[in-house]
Short mmCIF file of all heavy atoms in Angstrom, two decimals:
data_model
loop_
_atom_site.label_atom_id
_atom_site.label_comp_id
_atom_site.label_asym_id
_atom_site.label_seq_id
_atom_site.Cartn_x
_atom_site.Cartn_y
_atom_site.Cartn_z
N ALA M 906 15.47 -14.23 7.79
CA ALA M 906 15.56 -14.28 9.24
C ALA M 906 14.60 -15.33 9.78
O ALA M 906 14.81 -15.90 10.83
CB ALA M 906 15.24 -12.91 9.83
N ALA M 907 13.51 -15.57 9.04
CA ALA M 907 12.54 -16.58 9.44
C ALA M 907 12.96 -17.94 8.89
O ALA M 907 13.78 -18.05 8.00
CB ALA M 907 11.16 -16.21 8.92
N SER M 908 12.38 -18.99 9.42
CA SER M 908 12.69 -20.35 8.99
C SER M 908 12.25 -20.56 7.55
O SER M 908 11.27 -19.99 7.08
CB SER M 908 11.97 -21.34 9.90
OG SER M 908 11.97 -22.63 9.34
N SER M 910 10.82 -22.98 6.54
CA SER M 910 9.53 -23.67 6.59
C SER M 910 8.36 -22.70 6.77
O SER M 910 7.21 -23.12 6.81
CB SER M 910 9.52 -24.70 7.72
OG SER M 910 9.67 -24.05 8.97
N SER M 911 8.66 -21.41 6.90
CA SER M 911 7.61 -20.42 7.06
C SER M 911 6.65 -20.44 5.88
O SER M 911 7.04 -20.67 4.74
CB SER M 911 8.23 -19.03 7.19
OG SER M 911 7.26 -18.02 7.02
N LEU M 912 5.36 -20.17 6.17
CA LEU M 912 4.38 -20.07 5.09
C LEU M 912 4.74 -18.96 4.11
O LEU M 912 4.32 -18.99 2.95
CB LEU M 912 2.99 -19.80 5.67
CG LEU M 912 2.27 -20.96 6.35
CD1 LEU M 912 0.95 -20.46 6.93
CD2 LEU M 912 2.02 -22.10 5.36
N CYS M 913 5.51 -17.97 4.57
CA CYS M 913 5.88 -16.86 3.72
C CYS M 913 7.21 -17.07 2.99
O CYS M 913 7.65 -16.19 2.24
CB CYS M 913 5.96 -15.57 4.54
SG CYS M 913 4.34 -14.95 5.08
N ALA M 914 7.82 -18.22 3.19
CA ALA M 914 9.11 -18.47 2.53
C ALA M 914 8.95 -18.81 1.06
O ALA M 914 9.89 -18.67 0.28
CB ALA M 914 9.85 -19.60 3.25
N LEU M 925 12.77 -11.66 4.36
CA LEU M 925 11.82 -12.48 5.11
C LEU M 925 12.06 -12.22 6.58
O LEU M 925 13.09 -12.60 7.14
CB LEU M 925 12.00 -13.96 4.77
CG LEU M 925 11.03 -14.95 5.43
CD1 LEU M 925 9.58 -14.58 5.14
CD2 LEU M 925 11.31 -16.37 4.97
N LEU M 926 11.13 -11.53 7.21
CA LEU M 926 11.26 -11.12 8.60
C LEU M 926 10.51 -12.08 9.51
O LEU M 926 9.51 -12.68 9.11
CB LEU M 926 10.71 -9.71 8.80
CG LEU M 926 11.15 -8.63 7.82
CD1 LEU M 926 10.46 -7.32 8.17
CD2 LEU M 926 12.65 -8.47 7.82
N SER M 927 10.94 -12.17 10.77
CA SER M 927 10.21 -12.96 11.75
C SER M 927 10.53 -12.45 13.15
O SER M 927 11.66 -12.08 13.45
CB SER M 927 10.59 -14.44 11.65
OG SER M 927 9.89 -15.20 12.61
N ASN M 928 9.50 -12.44 14.01
CA ASN M 928 9.73 -12.13 15.42
C ASN M 928 9.30 -13.29 16.31
O ASN M 928 9.14 -13.13 17.52
CB ASN M 928 9.00 -10.84 15.82
CG ASN M 928 7.48 -10.98 15.74
OD1 ASN M 928 6.95 -11.99 15.27
ND2 ASN M 928 6.76 -9.97 16.21
N GLY M 929 9.08 -14.47 15.71
CA GLY M 929 8.65 -15.63 16.45
C GLY M 929 7.15 -15.78 16.52
O GLY M 929 6.64 -16.87 16.80
N THR M 930 6.42 -14.70 16.24
CA THR M 930 4.95 -14.75 16.19
C THR M 930 4.47 -14.52 14.76
O THR M 930 3.71 -15.31 14.21
CB THR M 930 4.35 -13.68 17.11
OG1 THR M 930 4.78 -13.93 18.46
CG2 THR M 930 2.82 -13.72 17.07
N LEU M 931 4.93 -13.43 14.16
CA LEU M 931 4.62 -13.11 12.77
C LEU M 931 5.82 -13.38 11.89
O LEU M 931 6.97 -13.15 12.29
CB LEU M 931 4.25 -11.64 12.62
CG LEU M 931 2.92 -11.11 13.13
CD1 LEU M 931 2.82 -9.63 12.78
CD2 LEU M 931 1.76 -11.89 12.55
N ASP M 932 5.56 -13.85 10.67
CA ASP M 932 6.54 -13.85 9.60
C ASP M 932 6.01 -12.89 8.53
O ASP M 932 4.80 -12.77 8.33
CB ASP M 932 6.72 -15.24 8.97
CG ASP M 932 7.35 -16.24 9.92
OD1 ASP M 932 7.87 -15.81 10.97
OD2 ASP M 932 7.31 -17.44 9.62
N ALA M 933 6.92 -12.23 7.83
CA ALA M 933 6.50 -11.32 6.76
C ALA M 933 7.52 -11.36 5.63
O ALA M 933 8.73 -11.26 5.88
CB ALA M 933 6.35 -9.90 7.28
N MET M 934 7.03 -11.51 4.41
CA MET M 934 7.86 -11.40 3.22
C MET M 934 7.65 -10.02 2.63
O MET M 934 6.51 -9.64 2.32
CB MET M 934 7.50 -12.47 2.20
CG MET M 934 8.25 -12.34 0.87
SD MET M 934 9.98 -12.81 1.00
CE MET M 934 9.79 -14.61 0.94
N VAL M 956 4.34 -5.76 0.63
CA VAL M 956 4.23 -6.94 1.48
C VAL M 956 3.62 -8.09 0.69
O VAL M 956 2.46 -8.03 0.28
CB VAL M 956 3.38 -6.64 2.73
CG1 VAL M 956 3.24 -7.89 3.61
CG2 VAL M 956 4.01 -5.50 3.54
N CYS M 958 3.46 -11.31 1.86
CA CYS M 958 2.85 -12.31 2.72
C CYS M 958 3.11 -11.97 4.18
O CYS M 958 4.18 -11.47 4.53
CB CYS M 958 3.45 -13.69 2.40
SG CYS M 958 3.00 -15.02 3.55
N VAL M 959 2.11 -12.21 5.01
CA VAL M 959 2.27 -12.24 6.47
C VAL M 959 1.64 -13.54 6.94
O VAL M 959 0.58 -13.93 6.44
CB VAL M 959 1.58 -11.03 7.15
CG1 VAL M 959 1.51 -11.23 8.66
CG2 VAL M 959 2.31 -9.74 6.82
N SER M 960 2.28 -14.23 7.87
CA SER M 960 1.70 -15.47 8.39
C SER M 960 1.64 -15.43 9.91
O SER M 960 2.50 -14.85 10.58
CB SER M 960 2.49 -16.69 7.93
OG SER M 960 3.80 -16.70 8.48
N LEU M 961 0.57 -16.05 10.45
CA LEU M 961 0.34 -16.12 11.89
C LEU M 961 -0.43 -17.40 12.18
O LEU M 961 -1.47 -17.66 11.57
CB LEU M 961 -0.46 -14.90 12.36
CG LEU M 961 -0.99 -14.94 13.80
CD1 LEU M 961 0.16 -14.82 14.80
CD2 LEU M 961 -2.01 -13.83 14.03
N HIS M 964 -1.78 -19.44 9.38
CA HIS M 964 -2.64 -18.77 8.41
C HIS M 964 -1.81 -17.75 7.63
O HIS M 964 -0.89 -17.13 8.16
CB HIS M 964 -3.79 -18.06 9.12
CG HIS M 964 -4.72 -18.99 9.82
ND1 HIS M 964 -5.81 -19.57 9.21
CD2 HIS M 964 -4.71 -19.45 11.11
CE1 HIS M 964 -6.45 -20.34 10.07
NE2 HIS M 964 -5.81 -20.29 11.24
N PHE M 966 -1.79 -14.26 5.16
CA PHE M 966 -2.48 -13.04 4.78
C PHE M 966 -1.80 -12.44 3.54
O PHE M 966 -0.60 -12.56 3.38
CB PHE M 966 -2.41 -12.01 5.92
CG PHE M 966 -3.01 -12.48 7.22
CD1 PHE M 966 -2.31 -13.32 8.08
CD2 PHE M 966 -4.29 -12.07 7.59
CE1 PHE M 966 -2.85 -13.73 9.29
CE2 PHE M 966 -4.85 -12.48 8.80
CZ PHE M 966 -4.13 -13.32 9.64
N LEU M 1068 7.93 -5.60 12.95
CA LEU M 1068 7.06 -6.59 13.57
C LEU M 1068 7.22 -6.52 15.09
O LEU M 1068 8.33 -6.44 15.61
CB LEU M 1068 7.43 -8.00 13.10
CG LEU M 1068 7.47 -8.25 11.59
CD1 LEU M 1068 7.84 -9.71 11.30
CD2 LEU M 1068 6.16 -7.87 10.92
N GLY M 1070 5.16 -8.59 18.23
CA GLY M 1070 4.07 -9.49 18.59
C GLY M 1070 3.26 -9.85 17.37
O GLY M 1070 3.81 -10.25 16.34
N MET M 1073 2.12 -5.57 12.81
CA MET M 1073 3.05 -5.00 11.84
C MET M 1073 2.82 -3.49 11.82
O MET M 1073 1.70 -3.04 11.61
CB MET M 1073 2.84 -5.59 10.45
CG MET M 1073 3.79 -5.03 9.39
SD MET M 1073 3.62 -5.85 7.77
CE MET M 1073 2.04 -5.17 7.23
N PHE M 1216 -2.81 -8.60 13.42
CA PHE M 1216 -3.35 -9.81 12.79
C PHE M 1216 -3.85 -10.75 13.89
O PHE M 1216 -3.26 -10.85 14.97
CB PHE M 1216 -2.26 -10.51 11.98
CG PHE M 1216 -1.70 -9.65 10.88
CD1 PHE M 1216 -0.61 -8.80 11.12
CD2 PHE M 1216 -2.25 -9.67 9.61
CE1 PHE M 1216 -0.11 -8.00 10.11
CE2 PHE M 1216 -1.74 -8.87 8.60
CZ PHE M 1216 -0.67 -8.04 8.85
#
Side-chain angles (χ1 to χ4, degrees):
S908 166
S910 63
S911 166
L912 285 176
C913 289
L925 183 56
L926 312 178
S927 179
N928 65 353
T930 300
L931 287 183
D932 293 347
M934 175 73 79
V956 179
C958 171
V959 169
S960 66
L961 170 70
H964 296 272
F966 301 80
L1068 306 181
M1073 180 175 73
F1216 300 88

